């Protein structure tokens, strides 16, 4: 979690997005801590971060995730 705390303290976030970005970085930091301290809490999710979590973070930032699978 040190990395997320440092990122929040050192960041030069746009004032209009500070709350949103602080929330997302903070949640990512908590996921990191949960993965280390409680790996049994979410079997199969080594880092405690689901695809749906990433999609939600991106949606809140104004993006849409798009996955393209190709054999090339």
């Amino acid at each position: 979690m040190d990395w997320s705390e440092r990122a929040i303290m050192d960041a030069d976030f746009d004032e209009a997005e500070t709350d949103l970005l602080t929330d997302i970085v903070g949640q990512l930091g908590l996921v990191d801590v949960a993965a280390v301290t409680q790996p049994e809490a979410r079997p199969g999710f080594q880092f405690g971060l689901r695809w749906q979590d990433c999609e939600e973070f991106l949606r809140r930032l104004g993006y849409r995730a798009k996955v393209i699978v190709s054999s090339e």
Side-chain angles (χ1 to χ4, degrees), residues 17 42-43 47 51-52 54 64:
E17 297 178 339
R42 291 180 74 182
F47 298 106
W51 172 247
Q52 291 85 352
C54 296
R64 182 175 67 92

Side-chain angles (χ1 to χ4, degrees), residues 4-5 7 29-30 35 50 62 64 66:
S4 64
E5 290 173 351
L30 291 175
R50 301 173 304 152
R64 182 175 67 92
K66 182 177 181 181

Side-chain angles (χ1 to χ4, degrees), residues 9-10 13 15 17 21-22 28 30-31 35 41 45-46 51 57 66 70:
M9 291 188 306
D10 296 343
F13 295 144
E15 195 171 319
E17 297 178 339
L21 294 173
T22 299
L28 289 170
L30 291 175
V31 166
F45 294 99
Q46 183 178 359
W51 172 247
F57 292 151
K66 182 177 181 181
S70 174

Side-chain angles (χ1 to χ4, degrees), residues 5-43:
E5 290 173 351
R6 280 193 308 277
I8 290 170
M9 291 188 306
D10 296 343
D12 187 21
F13 295 144
D14 182 87
E15 195 171 319
E17 297 178 339
T18 298
D19 290 342
L20 171 63
L21 294 173
T22 299
D23 182 52
I24 290 172
V25 171
Q27 287 185 50
L28 289 170
L30 291 175
V31 166
D32 190 27
V33 169
V36 172
T37 61
Q38 301 173 358
E40 71 286 350
R42 291 180 74 182

